[in-house]
Amino acid sequence: MATGVTTQHPFFENPYITVAEYKNAPTAIDYDNLVVGGNAAAQDAELANVILRASSFMDETLNQNLNASTQRENQRVRLSNSGYLAIHPNNNPIISLQSMSYGTDPNSLTTLSDPSKAWFEDQQIIVPLSQLATTYSSQGALSFGVGAAPRQQMFVTFNYTSGYVNSLIATATAGQSTLTVQTADGIVAGMQLRIYDGANSERVTVASNYTYGSTTVPTTAPLAYTHANTVAIGNLPQAIKEACVLITTAFLKVRGDNSLTMNVTTQPNGNVAGASKFGNEMAIALEMLSLYRRIR
């Protein structure tokens, strides 16, 4: 007997911050005693695990993953009266559409010949099939070689890239107008990226001659500093990174008596509106994430 196997393989294990970024943040938390008797490498490894768990919690809260990545999805959509397909991917913002196949029969799909003709909006991809097909007529039923009519259900499978760039440096040398990254998901020409390297942090702009998908990234100006391998680079909103710092701190505090933390105070009179949430990392983090939460 044949077995049906899904083409979708969702797996998100991309942290929103690095161990170095967490250590550089003013958390007032003791992260050198996470593993009893462990050496520095063991402490860093466990801190990385907690950051991963915090990032996973954020994904659940956001109803999506904001790290730029390429996904494959299957959906059922309906053809509009004007002959357009509106696809709502599970992750946004949408950056690119690599490929798409569509049709009324899931076992006989037509491949979209030119994905660049699609229209991109923040949370959807519009594919103007009526403008791409030669058999379209405004009179009677629409036909695109797959027998589709207005409002008819269609099966769609597509590969797309969405999210914010959140990669790691591979090589970056001061004075050079190029750098390499470990993954290039989401990077496009003209994009501004920040390199998170403590006192040597800097912002770079991707040059217009950048080739989409390449891990070699030309910049519009020479780098001011040399950056080591695994230093973070991207355009992930600062609020998302700060939320991950706060949630990671909250997770570490679950350790109870072994958690060394600093008291947090409010105004001297203690009666400032909303002051009760100060010191509550989770509440602050959830508020910061609310703007980016995907409503399904």
Side-chain angles (χ1 to χ4, degrees):
M1 180 179 69
T3 301
V5 180
T6 179
T7 58
Q8 303 182 68
H9 304 283
F11 179 73
F12 299 114
E13 198 177 39
N14 298 322
Y16 286 107
I17 59 173
T18 64
V19 168
E21 286 180 278
Y22 183 82
K23 287 184 174 182
N24 287 335
T27 59
I29 195 85
D30 176 21
Y31 45 73
D32 292 325
N33 191 33
L34 302 179
V35 179
V36 178
N39 58 20
Q43 308 300 339
D44 284 353
E46 183 53 31
L47 178 55
N49 287 334
V50 177
I51 291 173
L52 274 177
R53 292 193 284 271
S55 299
S56 178
F57 174 83
M58 291 171 62
D59 291 343
E60 293 182 359
T61 301
L62 292 164
N63 272 328
Q64 63 175 331
N65 184 280
L66 290 180
N67 283 312
S69 61
T70 300
Q71 307 293 327
R72 180 180 179 87
E73 290 186 24
N74 295 336
Q75 289 189 15
R76 288 177 296 164
V77 298
R78 293 189 181 278
L79 193 68
S80 71
N81 290 332
S82 56
Y84 285 60
L85 284 180
I87 306 171
H88 298 266
N90 289 325
N91 300 278
N92 63 79
I94 301 162
I95 298 173
S96 65
L97 176 67
Q98 282 80 19
S99 63
M100 190 192 87
S101 297
Y102 60 93
T104 56
D105 181 354
N107 296 308
S108 181
L109 301 179
T110 299
T111 300
L112 183 66
S113 60
D114 188 359
S116 69
K117 300 298 183 182
W119 173 265
F120 300 95
E121 296 183 5
D122 190 35
Q123 298 187 32
Q124 64 179 351
I125 301 171
I126 306 298
V127 183
L129 293 185
S130 60
Q131 305 301 315
L132 304 177
T134 58
T135 56
Y136 171 75
S137 171
S138 59
Q139 304 296 321
L142 303 178
S143 176
F144 308 104
V146 290
R151 310 310 302 167
Q152 184 173 358
Q153 177 177 271
M154 297 185 69
F155 296 87
V156 177
T157 181
F158 57 102
N159 294 291
Y160 72 103
T161 300
S162 66
Y164 297 95
V165 178
N166 192 26
S167 186
L168 299 174
I169 291 288
T171 58
T173 304
Q176 298 294 315
S177 295
T178 186
L179 57 86
T180 59
V181 293
Q182 295 190 16
T183 58
D185 286 339
I187 299 177
V188 298
M191 178 179 285
Q192 290 189 334
L193 304 173
R194 173 163 288 279
I195 300 175
Y196 297 90
D197 196 7
N200 292 336
S201 295
E202 60 180 309
R203 187 171 63 183
V204 299
T205 301
V206 181
S208 60
N209 62 336
Y210 171 69
T211 301
Y212 184 79
S214 173
T215 55
T216 299
V217 182
T219 58
T220 57
L223 295 171
Y225 306 102
T226 295
H227 305 283
N229 181 276
T230 71
V231 167
I233 179 174
N235 66 349
L236 191 70
Q238 299 290 351
I240 300 301
K241 283 186 173 288
E242 181 62 20
C244 191
V245 169
L246 293 170
I247 294 173
T248 299
T249 298
F251 281 13
L252 290 174
K253 285 184 176 181
V254 175
R255 295 169 55 235
D257 292 340
N258 287 330
S259 175
L260 177 62
T261 60
M262 181 183 297
N263 290 331
V264 178
T265 59
T266 59
Q267 296 294 328
N269 58 17
N271 59 1
V272 177
S276 61
K277 74 177 181 181
F278 283 82
N280 187 337
E281 291 87 356
M282 192 66 73
I284 300 174
L286 292 177
E287 183 174 335
M288 298 176 79
L289 294 176
S290 61
L291 179 64
Y292 301 91
R293 189 171 187 271
R294 187 183 190 280
I295 305 300
R296 298 185 185 275

